[in-house]
Amino acid sequence: MRSELPELLGETYASLAERACAFAQRELAGLEEEPQDAAAEDALARQSLSKLAREGLLAYAVPAAETTHHPATATALVAGANGGAASTPDVRSIAILRETLAYWSGMADLAFVMQGLGSFPIALAGSPELKGRWLAAVAGGEAIAALAITEPEAGSDLASIRLEARKDGGDYVLDGVKTLISNAPIADLVTVIARTGPGEGSKGLSGFAVPGRHAGLDRSERLRLIAAHPIGVLRFSGCRVPASWRIGGEGDGARIALATLSRFRPTVGAAAVGFASRAFDEARRRAKERVQFGRPLAEFGAIQCKLAEMATLIDAARLLVYRAAAAL
Ligand SMILES: Cc1cc2nc3c(=O)[nH]c(=O)nc-3n(C[C@H](O)[C@H](O)[C@H](O)COP(=O)(O)OP(=O)(O)OC[C@H]3O[C@@H](n4cnc5c(N)ncnc54)[C@H](O)[C@@H]3O)c2cc1C
């Protein structure tokens, strides 16, 4: 189901939507979406990411100001809705890209958005050293990013986070468990929200940029989802990191995490609209092909009503998503 919404949003967004669609048809349509094992799943994630990087699309998820020196990024920004000037990602552009990517490949959508979610805390509050080390690499697809907030006992409720970051001289020592972390098995950068102030609720949290391969960080436990998705558990035990890897000040963690989630939240809806549009197209195709009682299913009124209702709900959802995206 083609969306006219990008046209309604204006020329820049319409051409981004066209470009995304052409890219997806060319690069994603033939990808194997049901890898049989973990190695194949990781390979698909890496393949999707490198295609997005080559096309310069990751630039839309990773803030512009610090990344313009990457050649693919620079091209995307000149042509893109950000115009190369924004220091925060443009939510409407991300929504357009996620809707299109999700339609064609859940893995490509995941690869795209995690680069943004994992790096935005650094763009928002990181030191020049952290920005220099990570942002261009993430925007160029050379470093895979993850954002580690959720714990076994802390989901919606950030204030329950327990993973401890204990100050020890010029370092912090991290101990605790994160779970349901997308890209955990393959990430080069893990942005971790940890507790630096015990007993202070969400005020006692701080962010850290930790390399995915680091002493004291075990990421061997994978989780299985219905769809292909490299996701797992991160166990920190005596994981020592220099204080310079802290993102922002002590106690800024909840603010940074919530600002990151708020920026990207409407785009979760955009991805859902992409998935729903694909489901609709598959249902319509099947209804046209399948013959029962001497006629294709699509000729029966009840089926037509179902399809019409699906199309209406998807379109309404799309309008809500882009209205929310435009408000940010
Ligand atoms: C595919 C997938 C990928 C993920 N990737 C990441 C990732 O990369 N990084 C990361 O940190 N986390 C990730 N998560 C975890 C995700 O962010 C959490 O699932 C989410 O924060 C909700 O936490 P929970 O699952 O513990 O649910 P809970 O917090 O236990 O909530 C359970 C239900 O109760 C509802 N609920 C909770 N509190 C209230 C309330 N006060 N009032 C009313 N209803 C309430 C919730 O809406 C939900 O429906 C991922 C999850 C999934 C499924």
Side-chain angles (χ1 to χ4, degrees):
M1 187 164 66
R2 217 183 95 64
S3 158
E4 282 97 40
L5 226 149
E7 278 83 349
L8 296 178
L9 292 172
E11 173 91 13
T12 315
Y13 291 106
S15 62
L16 177 61
E18 251 172 53
R19 180 175 159 212
C21 212
F23 162 78
Q25 282 173 332
R26 189 178 69 244
E27 300 287 343
L28 305 179
L31 285 182
E32 167 60 77
E33 275 291 311
E34 291 179 18
Q36 295 306 306
D37 54 30
E41 190 168 72
D42 292 351
L44 176 62
R46 290 179 192 284
Q47 195 186 9
S48 306
L49 186 67
S50 72
K51 284 173 183 287
L52 289 161
R54 232 177 296 131
E55 183 71 16
L57 292 178
L58 297 177
Y60 288 93
V62 183
E66 294 79 10
T67 59
T68 43
H69 59 280
H70 188 275
T73 305
T75 315
L77 290 172
V78 168
N82 284 346
S87 60
T88 51
D90 177 67
V91 181
R92 275 168 282 185
S93 298
I94 299 177
I96 285 171
L97 288 166
R98 291 200 69 183
E99 183 186 340
T100 309
L101 295 174
Y103 181 97
W104 292 97
S105 159
M107 186 66 95
D109 170 57
L110 171 79
F112 172 74
V113 75
M114 286 318 302
Q115 295 301 92
L117 283 167
S119 66
F120 191 57
I122 296 176
L124 203 59
S127 64
E129 178 202 331
L130 286 180
K131 288 179 180 175
R133 175 168 181 188
W134 292 113
L135 291 184
V138 173
E142 293 116 32
I144 298 177
L147 176 63
I149 300 175
T150 305
E151 298 183 1
E153 302 303 329
S156 311
D157 179 15
L158 279 187
S160 304
I161 284 179
R162 287 191 200 156
L163 191 142
E164 181 194 26
R166 183 173 40 84
K167 196 91 199 280
D168 184 27
D171 298 335
Y172 286 89
V173 180
L174 275 58
D175 281 287
V177 179
K178 295 289 182 186
T179 190
L180 278 169
I181 307 305
S182 300
N183 279 348
I186 55 171
D188 299 296
L189 160 68
V190 182
T191 297
V192 186
I193 303 298
R195 179 160 299 285
T196 43
E200 294 176 34
S202 60
K203 292 195 181 75
L205 301 176
S206 305
F208 293 88
V210 182
R213 287 174 196 279
H214 192 65
L217 171 53
D218 172 15
R219 54 181 182 175
S220 55
E221 187 183 341
R222 294 181 77 102
L223 301 169
R224 296 290 303 164
L225 303 183
I226 297 169
H229 188 125
I231 187 167
V233 177
L234 295 172
R235 291 179 199 284
F236 296 79
S237 13
C239 178
R240 182 173 288 274
V241 303
S244 60
W245 290 0
R246 196 185 64 225
I247 303 170
E250 266 203 14
D252 287 346
R255 184 182 62 80
I256 291 168
L258 291 175
T260 302
L261 296 174
S262 302
R263 190 109 206 118
F264 286 85
R265 193 164 276 139
T267 75
V268 180
V273 167
F275 292 132
S277 299
R278 179 61 178 269
F280 172 81
D281 282 353
E282 297 295 336
R284 185 174 55 176
R285 184 178 56 75
R286 175 77 179 153
K288 282 180 170 172
E289 283 170 8
R290 174 75 171 160
V291 174
Q292 286 292 281
F293 306 100
R295 285 194 281 163
L297 291 179
E299 288 186 14
F300 293 102
I303 300 294
Q304 290 171 357
C305 282
K306 269 191 188 179
L307 289 171
E309 190 175 2
M310 283 167 77
T312 308
L313 288 172
I314 292 168
D315 214 32
R318 180 180 285 118
L319 286 164
L320 280 172
V321 161
Y322 284 93
R323 195 167 80 180
L328 279 175

